[in-house]
Amino acid sequence: MSALGLTAVLGGCGLTGGSGDEVTLKLVAADYGDSPANSSQKYWDKLVKAYESEHPGVTVDVSVYSWTDVDAEVKKMVDAGEAPDLAQIGAYADYAAKDLLYQADDLLSIPVQADIVSQLAEAGQVDGVQYGIPFASSTRLLFYNKTLFEKAGLTAPKTWKQLAADAGVLKAQGVKYPYALPLGPEEAQAETMQWLLSGGGGYTDADLGTYSIDSTENVDTFDWLKNDLVGKGLTGPVAPGELNRADAFSAFAAGDVGMLNGHPSLMQMAEKKGVKYGMVPMPGVEGPTKMSMGVADWMMAFKQNGHAEQVGEFLDFVYDKDNVLDFSREYDLLPVTNSASGAMAEAKEDADLKPFLEQLSASELYPVGRTSWAAVSADVKKRIGKTVSAGGSPSAILGQLQSTATRVENAE
């Protein structure tokens, strides 16, 4: 799955130059649609048609793969010496570390580069140089079932203590998942990060620039989850380590979940099933969490085939305000440019996304600029569910994750 945790579909290969001034750019992109009717291929086909009509001599060949396949497909192409010109996928740092990518400075015009949301642009940097260009972003909020809360006489929680108390009341009323805690392998790194931030910690120490997975704050957070939430039977019949995000979302849309962390796509799922929901910032120890989790997917350009000028001109078109808005609205995602974000904040049609948009400026992203992050994330998905199991030790397991992070980081 992508960093955004959404669905997807795609195929593709490298760039070829034609005779004379004819140039074909190859783009491999991920599919954010959940059916053929709204496949990202349709978005790209429309955008490319408009671009080519204004740029004779340039053809853009777009192949769209599912999120299950797209990263592997791009890797396969690169390994075969047939890198695409552009790839819109989940991670860029490995390719940047191998000096395979253009710098954003080599591609984007100054106005477009300045328009990228600053913390997203910074997350696209390796050693202070931007290689990853954010393409889509999202934040997380705590969703709660309004019908269940009103029936129980509850209000949305602002602190962990209130969250646990609300979950206890919901359990007493027979709610299947008072709080759904998806720490299964599909997207455990996301739920984990949201809780770490709400406890004042995180994956890394901003001051030291190192991983801090086994920090005191993080251990305290998972001790609380284990003892005050999971240990009291407030997370439902499926063990958190076996509950995946997609299943938790489906259970919420079925009316079986009192609370869970969710991104914008959950709104459509709930509305289609007639579930009334509310959304609030993630509760923290003493009040709403000040730092939300942000996620982004990335656009990058490979140097192998050249054509930096044509690639840059196409990207300037891709990041035009109206094009960014069209994509964001089609897939319930947040714009990655300031101009589109401003337009969305003022538009009535985007009112449902505004709470997520407000969280973006105070969000923290995965440490995607570290080439070690892929291995660390995989280890989190594998181990983190055990921290809250009956025999699990948060301190010991977070220590094991820290050891993995340190070892991989030192090997880079």
Side-chain angles (χ1 to χ4, degrees), residues 52-139:
E52 291 177 347
S53 69
E54 299 177 8
H55 296 80
V58 178
T59 300
V60 184
D61 180 6
V62 183
S63 300
V64 176
Y65 291 93
S66 72
W67 273 113
T68 304
D69 301 324
V70 65
D71 290 277
E73 287 292 331
V74 171
K75 183 178 186 301
K76 187 189 305 181
M77 296 172 200
V78 173
D79 290 346
E82 299 175 350
D85 296 287
L86 291 156
Q88 185 272 298
I89 52 178
Y92 64 86
D94 283 350
Y95 298 123
K98 296 175 183 176
D99 195 29
L100 299 178
L101 302 179
Y102 283 113
Q103 298 179 19
D105 288 346
D106 298 331
L107 303 169
L108 301 178
S109 66
I110 292 175
V112 170
Q113 194 167 8
D115 197 27
I116 302 291
V117 174
S118 61
Q119 72 264 43
L120 298 178
E122 290 171 5
Q125 296 178 357
V126 175
D127 296 330
V129 178
Q130 185 181 355
Y131 296 94
I133 306 170
F135 181 75
S137 67
S138 183
T139 55

Side-chain angles (χ1 to χ4, degrees), residues 98-376:
K98 296 175 183 176
D99 195 29
L100 299 178
L101 302 179
Y102 283 113
Q103 298 179 19
D105 288 346
D106 298 331
L107 303 169
L108 301 178
S109 66
I110 292 175
V112 170
Q113 194 167 8
D115 197 27
I116 302 291
V117 174
S118 61
Q119 72 264 43
L120 298 178
E122 290 171 5
Q125 296 178 357
V126 175
D127 296 330
V129 178
Q130 185 181 355
Y131 296 94
I133 306 170
F135 181 75
S137 67
S138 183
T139 55
R140 303 292 168 97
L141 292 170
L142 182 76
F143 281 68
Y144 64 96
N145 184 309
K146 278 189 172 182
T147 302
L148 297 177
F149 266 63
E150 290 171 3
K151 180 181 177 182
L154 301 173
T155 57
K158 296 181 179 180
T159 66
W160 287 359
K161 184 177 180 180
Q162 292 170 350
L163 185 150
D166 287 353
V169 173
L170 293 170
K171 179 185 178 183
Q173 297 221 343
V175 175
K176 189 173 182 180
Y177 293 91
Y179 177 86
L181 183 66
L183 295 177
E186 177 197 343
E187 206 188 24
Q189 82 283 2
E191 184 74 12
T192 296
M193 183 170 177
Q194 188 66 69
W195 278 100
L196 295 183
L197 292 173
S198 71
Y203 284 120
T204 59
D205 185 308
D207 294 328
L208 298 177
T210 58
Y211 283 104
S212 56
I213 299 174
D214 61 349
S215 68
T216 299
E217 294 85 356
N218 291 347
V219 172
D220 288 346
T221 293
F222 272 87
D223 278 339
W224 186 87
L225 284 172
K226 181 177 187 294
N227 298 323
D228 291 68
L229 212 59
V230 180
K232 294 182 179 179
L234 302 178
T235 55
V238 179
E242 298 175 5
L243 181 64
N244 283 322
R245 189 269 311 164
D247 295 328
F249 276 23
S250 294
F252 186 85
D256 293 332
V257 175
M259 298 172 279
L260 84 170
N261 284 317
H263 51 60
S265 69
L266 183 56
M267 296 188 298
Q268 282 191 0
M269 292 180 64
E271 289 165 1
K272 287 179 180 178
K273 294 296 183 69
V275 172
K276 296 180 180 179
Y277 60 87
M279 303 179 297
V280 294
M282 176 68 180
V285 178
E286 297 180 352
T289 302
K290 295 180 181 179
M291 184 68 73
S292 173
M293 186 188 78
V295 291
D297 295 328
W298 304 94
M299 179 73 78
M300 63 212 69
F302 288 89
K303 296 191 292 185
Q304 178 180 323
N305 302 301
H307 301 118
E309 180 180 352
Q310 291 88 352
V311 169
E313 289 176 350
F314 177 64
L315 287 178
D316 279 356
F317 186 79
V318 169
Y319 286 91
D320 173 80
K321 181 184 73 173
D322 290 338
N323 291 332
V324 172
L325 276 173
D326 285 347
F327 182 85
S328 301
R329 287 168 172 162
E330 176 66 28
Y331 299 107
D332 277 337
L333 294 168
L334 302 183
V336 297
T337 62
N338 294 308
S339 58
S341 295
M344 180 173 281
E346 296 176 0
K348 290 183 180 180
E349 67 180 288
D350 300 313
D352 55 348
L353 286 171
K354 192 172 180 179
F356 295 94
L357 192 61
E358 291 171 345
Q359 294 286 309
L360 187 59
S361 62
S363 65
E364 181 173 322
L365 280 72
Y366 298 128
V368 290
R370 297 172 180 266
T371 55
S372 57
W373 171 241
V376 173

